[in-house]
Structures are given as C-alpha cells and as structure tokens.
Amino acid sequence: MGGTFDPIHYGHLVTAEAARCKFGLDCVIFVPSGHPPHKKDYPVSPTEHRYLMTVLAVVTNTYFDVSRIEIDREGYSYTIDTVKQFREMLPGAELYFITGADAVLEILSWKNMSEILDYCHLIAASRPGYQLGGLKNRLKSAVGENINRIHSMEVPALAISSTSIRKRVSEGQPIKYLLPEPVEQYILKNNLYQKPDK
Ligand code: NAP
C-alpha cells in the first residue's frame, strides 16, 4: 500500500482492509513514500512524522504492517524500485500495489511504468463516483496484456482526504473520527499542519 500518508486516515485504512478481503491478501504492508519525485516543489511533512503516524494507525490490525523501505532508500522514491525490493524479499509471493486512483491516473509518467506490472498487480482505489474507465483504454497500448493486472475498487470512505485534514487542522477545525485517535494526538502534539505564523 503506497502513499504519502500526510496524514494517514480512515480512508486509507478502510481501503487496505477492503483490498485485503476482496483480493484474498495475506497481509497489507504500508509503505510511506520517502522522497516523492512528483512533489519536488510541494511541501510534504518530514518522513519520520509520516512513518510514525502510519505505525500508530495500523498497530491494532494484525494483518497490517509498515515498511521503511522507501524512507531509508536514498534519492527519489520510485515505485519500480520498491516492487523490485519486495520481490527480492518475498520471492514467490503474488504482489499487489495498492494506491489511490488519482495517483494511478498519472501512471503513464511513472518511471518504468510497464515494468511495474511485470512484478505486481495494481489496485486503484477511488472515491465514490470516480471514473477510471478511460484509464484502461489509454494504458492498453503501453502495457499490453498486463492491462489485466490493473484492478479498480471504489471505497466510499475515501471521501476523507489528507488534503482536507491538513486544511482543517490549519483552520482549527476538528479532525476527530476522520483518522485514528493516536494519529490525531500525534498531529496536535507535534503541531503539524499549522499555519506558518502559529
Ligand atoms: P498523491 O498524489 O498524494 O495522491 C493522489 C490521490 O490518491 C489523492 O487523492 C490521495 O488521497 C490518494 N491516495 C494516495 N495514496 C492512497 C492510498 N494508499 N489509498 C487510497 N488513496 C490514496 O499520491 P501519492 O500518495 O504521492 O502517491 C501514491 C503512490 O504512488 C505512492 O506510493 C507513490 O510513491 C507512488 N508514485 C510513484 C511514482 C513513480 O514511481 N514515479 C509517481 C507518483 C506516485 P490522500 O491525499 O487522502 O492520500
């Protein structure tokens, strides 16, 4: 499960659990992105904050775990490098890379995009009413038969977004029940997402 997780919220957790059940996965490993190549000019919270919030969020689910694989890797975090590393660590396992549909829509610009599908399936989780139909048509010529390894899944809980949580915190609005309580406490304790003059 790849994402920036800035912060992680119930939409991500419900997505992971739904994917685990729908695709019969043994476990879901959350991989907070280390240095996202597509966010060079966009402020992202420090990796250790995003990693620790992810650990706090998954601690009560025995099927969930968190990996530092991208955080500890130097340079930009490319999904192709991540799935290759997982292939080495888990030889023989059927791998699925789960992420948001918005991110998947940009996949044509990802490094070694078609090779990623040689290593894993891709699950695109979308907010209600999201249209992914055109994506498969666009990707067909680029990925050939691997198109069958792209799956989509609508997750109503993804009406929650990290962007709206960051905005709510900066405006002093409540975020309770949008994300696990320990993550909420972590955000408040560390003054994350405050306006710069605070
Ligand atoms: P993003 O651009 O921050 O997010 C795009 C959308 O997808 C947002 O609406 C986001 O909602 C949602 N989303 C992100 N991760 C999700 C998840 N795990 N489950 C459900 N919804 C999710 O995307 P990102 O988080 O930076 O990137 C997503 C993944 O794609 C990461 O693992 C990243 O490394 C990978 N990626 C790789 C490349 C590359 O290899 N070149 C390029 C881009 C992305 P929230 O904001 O609420 O999370």
Side-chain angles (χ1 to χ4, degrees):
M1 172 95 161
T4 307
F5 304 133
D6 193 17
I8 190 161
H9 53 67
Y10 280 130
H12 300 127
L13 296 169
V14 170
T15 299
E17 187 65 4
R20 188 180 74 77
C21 294
K22 181 170 177 180
F23 296 93
L25 311 180
D26 293 330
C27 65
V28 179
I29 304 172
F30 288 70
V31 185
S33 58
H35 312 283
H38 56 303
K39 293 190 173 171
K40 291 172 193 154
D41 305 319
Y42 176 85
V44 173
S45 299
T47 51
E48 288 304 327
H49 281 322
R50 294 185 289 108
Y51 170 74
L52 287 172
M53 287 191 284
T54 309
V55 170
L56 288 172
V58 309
V59 80
T60 54
N61 189 322
T62 50
Y63 296 106
F64 289 178
D65 210 341
V66 187
S67 166
R68 293 184 60 92
I69 201 169
E70 288 198 0
I71 288 175
D72 291 341
R73 199 165 61 220
E74 293 197 354
Y76 289 121
S77 308
Y78 294 110
T79 298
I80 183 64
D81 300 329
T82 301
V83 295
K84 276 184 178 173
Q85 254 179 290
F86 272 107
R87 166 56 62 236
E88 279 169 24
M89 291 187 297
L90 303 166
E94 189 85 355
L95 299 177
Y96 288 73
F97 184 75
I98 313 166
T99 197
D102 291 348
V104 173
L105 282 175
E106 302 294 320
I107 197 173
L108 282 171
S109 66
W110 292 13
K111 186 180 168 194
N112 298 16
M113 179 272 293
S114 63
E115 200 192 344
I116 292 173
L117 292 168
D118 291 334
Y119 288 92
C120 65
H121 295 254
L122 187 65
I123 302 176
S126 65
R127 303 197 148 91
Y130 203 95
Q131 297 300 327
L132 261 181
L135 176 72
K136 280 204 166 187
N137 289 335
R138 274 200 284 147
L139 289 180
K140 214 164 189 167
S141 57
V143 304
E145 289 204 349
N146 275 343
I147 197 76
N148 298 324
R149 288 162 73 86
I150 300 181
H151 315 273
S152 57
M153 201 177 64
E154 195 174 279
V155 184
L158 277 177
I160 302 171
S161 79
S162 300
T163 306
S164 70
I165 290 174
R166 291 194 301 272
K167 186 164 179 284
R168 290 179 75 83
V169 174
S170 77
E171 291 171 347
Q173 297 199 48
I175 54 171
K176 201 172 273 304
Y177 309 127
L178 297 175
L179 70 188
E181 187 152 355
V183 180
E184 179 192 357
Q185 296 302 331
Y186 186 95
I187 290 170
L188 299 177
K189 182 178 172 187
N190 291 282
N191 289 320
L192 301 184
Y193 315 127
Q194 300 293 339
K195 288 201 177 108
D197 59 338
K198 274 208 159 181

